[in-house]
Amino acid sequence: MDINRDLPLLFGTPGRAASARALMWSFFVAGASTLCFSLTSFWPSLPYFWLMTVLIGLHGIVAVTSSGANLLYVFRYFLIWILVWGAALVWALFPNEVYVAPFGLEYQSLANTQILVLAGALALCGVSIGWTLATSGMASERPLFYLESDSRRRLQRIGGLMVIIFSALYVWKSGGFVGEGKAYADGQEGFDLEFGVFNVFHYIGVACLVLAAIQPRGFLSWPIVLAAGSLVMGILVGSRADYLPQLFILLLLLVNARISMAIRILDLPRLLYWSLGILVALGVGYLVASYLAIWRTGLDPIEAWRFMQDNDRGSIISDVYGHKMLYFETGNMMLGGFYSAIVQVEQGITGFLNGNSYFNYLLISPPSFLGLPRPEGLELKTDLFGTVMSQGGIFEVAEAYWNFGFAGAFGVPCFISFFLGRVLVRGLVFRSYFYLVMFMVLGFMGFRAIWYQNFSYFRILTIMLLLYGGASIFAVWFVAHRERLPSGGTAQPYQD
């Protein structure tokens, strides 16, 4: 894998050979997937889902190995890949026996699933192409800068203060830790302030700590441990999406140098060892977090464990909703919303939205505590003829398809990945703390943005721009009002 050996895995970028490989495979898979879908109209016996399972699986291998070993990009890609590949595999192995969404079995038809899988495949190709076009060749550019001691200390203080304050506020707002009889996200809160962006400010603090921890050989341990500890606070409250995957990413940074070395020399046994270790750790972490979330509903520890076993929590094939289903938990809900989008487009219930849901981002961007009118999100419009199809959010690919069809399923993920890649490139080329912090916050919040709604990306951008504007105004004021140097003194250049 062609990567810049001086970049940590959060800022990895692909070389030109890797970029060319990713582009070639992405265009091939997009074309082959579209051809397979077209052939099903007059060749019903075509093993469409087997072909798509292979194509999507191969694309995943190429996309990850051509990514520049960037953990945040891989995280984004995987959140889309796992749902799409899982749906294709289930329909290849167990057609009409095992489903991928919890509700509306009558809408999870062969034809609708074929559309879902093709849209997902196009989205994955778009993710890879956008990232590659944005970052191609950066691996041969100058390496990442390392902060001076004064700058590092300032970022450590700012980041440490932010993660402590906002993790504590989140625990307080959520009503405390598990075992106190208050269910996660049930409306029972420690205080009533409507401030739904605790996690954004929390991750700004995490990003500051990570940036301050970068050293020529690996990471300084204590800022990473402090950042990881603050994420554990959220897990103990019962939340998973905003904290658990990100916790594992941070912990991987502690062995960044060893993983980078294994990638550079293509030490396959060591890479397999690390991959298996990560998968086992993720599985154990997910089960522990699921248990904590159930315990938080007010059950005692033994009852929570029995409930988890009786409902097949953690099983690959689950009967939680009264039918066999490939169990993704929140991901199943997102696929349910995707089926709803397909039906509402195909049956002309809403037709294509033509960008309307994205325009609504502007209308819902002001903070909710201002009390301004806010249009309903797509997550509240997925019911079909009285049947609930999803709960909690709208999948990135579902929203893109609902707005612009297959073109949107490819184009929207491509644009987002291109934007993320350009933010990273600007941070590296211009050695900008602001862009690197923005890239990390957008990457860490990928779970929320991809599985719940792309509005989370938009919200992060508005917050970052407000902070940048406020900092710029303060800097102008500070320069204009700072005391003049004593007579005969000389101004020293600002080092930061």
Side-chain angles (χ1 to χ4, degrees):
M1 186 181 292
D2 186 9
I3 66 171
N4 187 332
R5 64 190 303 163
D6 294 311
L7 290 176
L9 295 177
L10 286 183
F11 302 140
T13 55
R16 289 185 173 85
S19 298
R21 184 168 63 250
L23 289 174
M24 179 186 71
W25 271 94
S26 294
F27 283 116
F28 169 75
V29 170
S33 300
T34 303
L35 177 62
C36 288
F37 179 80
S38 301
L39 290 175
T40 58
S41 61
F42 56 87
W43 188 358
S45 61
L46 177 75
Y48 173 79
F49 291 111
W50 277 114
L51 291 172
M52 295 301 290
T53 298
V54 173
L55 285 172
I56 294 169
L58 290 174
H59 187 268
I61 294 172
V62 173
V64 171
T65 56
S66 304
S67 66
N70 189 297
L71 289 177
L72 294 181
Y73 165 74
V74 171
F75 180 46
R76 168 169 166 74
Y77 181 90
F78 178 78
L79 287 174
I80 298 176
W81 183 88
I82 188 63
L83 298 188
V84 178
W85 184 77
L89 180 63
V90 159
W91 274 80
L93 293 172
F94 311 108
N96 294 307
E97 295 180 13
V98 178
Y99 296 86
V100 294
F103 311 117
L105 300 188
E106 64 272 27
Y107 302 113
Q108 298 182 51
S109 64
L110 173 68
N112 290 339
T113 307
Q114 288 174 339
I115 293 173
L116 184 151
V117 171
L118 174 60
L122 293 175
L124 291 169
C125 293
V127 169
S128 180
I129 291 171
W131 174 260
T132 301
L133 292 177
T135 60
S136 176
M138 271 299 298
S140 61
E141 299 292 336
R142 56 188 175 181
L144 181 70
F145 65 98
Y146 301 102
L147 301 182
E148 298 176 355
S149 57
D150 288 344
S151 298
R152 180 180 292 114
R153 283 194 293 269
R154 281 196 293 269
L155 281 179
Q156 288 171 353
R157 287 194 293 267
I158 293 171
L161 191 62
M162 290 185 73
V163 299
I164 291 171
I165 290 175
F166 284 100
S167 62
L169 284 175
Y170 181 73
V171 172
W172 182 20
K173 179 177 173 58
S174 300
F177 294 121
V178 294
E180 296 183 10
K182 293 186 177 181
Y184 169 68
D186 68 351
Q188 302 181 55
E189 301 176 341
F191 59 87
D192 296 328
L193 175 63
E194 293 186 31
F195 189 68
V197 290
F198 285 105
N199 46 9
V200 177
F201 284 92
H202 189 169
Y203 276 111
I204 291 174
V206 169
C208 289
L209 286 175
V210 170
L211 192 59
I214 297 173
Q215 299 182 109
R217 295 183 181 276
F219 283 79
L220 185 64
S221 296
W222 76 259
I224 301 299
V225 172
L226 175 59
S230 70
L231 300 185
V232 172
M233 300 278 282
I235 295 173
L236 291 176
V237 166
S239 179
R240 285 159 291 178
D242 288 332
Y243 299 100
L244 184 61
Q246 297 84 342
L247 173 62
F248 283 105
I249 291 174
L250 286 180
L251 294 179
L252 283 177
L253 298 182
L254 296 176
V255 289
N256 181 88
R258 278 179 277 179
I259 296 177
S260 296
M261 177 61 71
I263 293 173
R264 284 199 301 272
I265 64 176
L266 284 179
D267 186 343
L268 296 181
R270 188 172 294 276
L271 287 175
L272 180 61
Y273 167 80
W274 283 111
S275 299
L276 291 175
I278 292 169
L279 289 175
V280 171
L282 282 172
V284 172
Y286 176 78
L287 291 175
V288 171
S290 297
Y291 173 74
L292 292 175
I294 295 169
W295 181 18
R296 185 172 171 77
T297 62
L299 301 177
D300 65 43
I302 296 177
E303 289 176 336
W305 177 250
R306 289 175 178 168
F307 179 85
M308 190 171 176
Q309 290 181 309
D310 292 342
N311 288 273
D312 293 330
R313 294 295 182 104
S315 300
I316 296 176
I317 303 295
S318 172
D319 288 322
V320 171
Y321 293 95
H323 57 83
K324 290 185 178 180
M325 184 178 71
L326 183 63
Y327 191 61
F328 292 127
E329 201 176 70
T330 302
N332 296 120
M333 294 292 179
M334 299 306 102
L335 290 172
F338 202 164
Y339 276 111
S340 175
I342 293 168
V343 172
Q344 296 200 49
V345 167
E346 293 297 309
Q347 296 189 11
I349 299 172
T350 63
F352 292 117
L353 301 179
N354 298 317
N356 183 65
S357 73
Y358 297 113
F359 174 77
N360 284 344
Y361 289 3
L362 298 174
L363 303 180
I364 62 177
S365 57
S368 58
F369 62 75
L370 296 178
L372 299 176
R374 301 169 69 87
E376 286 188 341
L378 289 184
E379 71 276 6
L380 300 177
K381 299 179 180 180
T382 59
D383 288 8
L384 289 173
F385 308 108
T387 299
V388 174
M389 292 297 293
S390 66
Q391 297 170 331
I394 188 76
F395 185 32
E396 175 180 308
V397 188
E399 183 173 18
Y401 178 84
W402 204 340
N403 277 275
F404 304 114
F406 290 125
F410 172 85
V412 172
C414 181
F415 171 78
I416 293 172
S417 290
F418 181 83
F419 177 81
L420 292 173
R422 294 311 299 173
V423 169
L424 173 59
V425 168
R426 288 186 69 85
L428 295 175
V429 171
F430 295 103
R431 304 189 173 197
S432 167
Y433 305 171
F434 175 76
Y435 283 111
L436 292 176
V437 167
M438 181 191 294
F439 172 75
M440 283 188 280
V441 175
L442 290 167
F444 282 128
M445 292 293 292
F447 217 139
R448 178 68 55 183
I450 296 166
W451 277 21
Y452 287 84
Q453 193 178 32
N454 281 163
F455 175 71
S456 292
Y457 282 140
F458 185 80
R459 169 66 78 194
I460 293 168
L461 291 178
T462 59
I463 292 172
M464 294 299 296
L465 290 175
L466 286 173
L467 290 175
Y468 183 82
S472 299
I473 293 172
F474 174 79
V476 171
W477 175 88
F478 180 80
V479 171
H481 292 82
R482 64 182 175 180
E483 295 180 359
R484 294 184 177 276
L485 291 171
S487 178
T490 57
Q492 298 297 318
Y494 179 65
Q495 300 291 330
D496 198 343

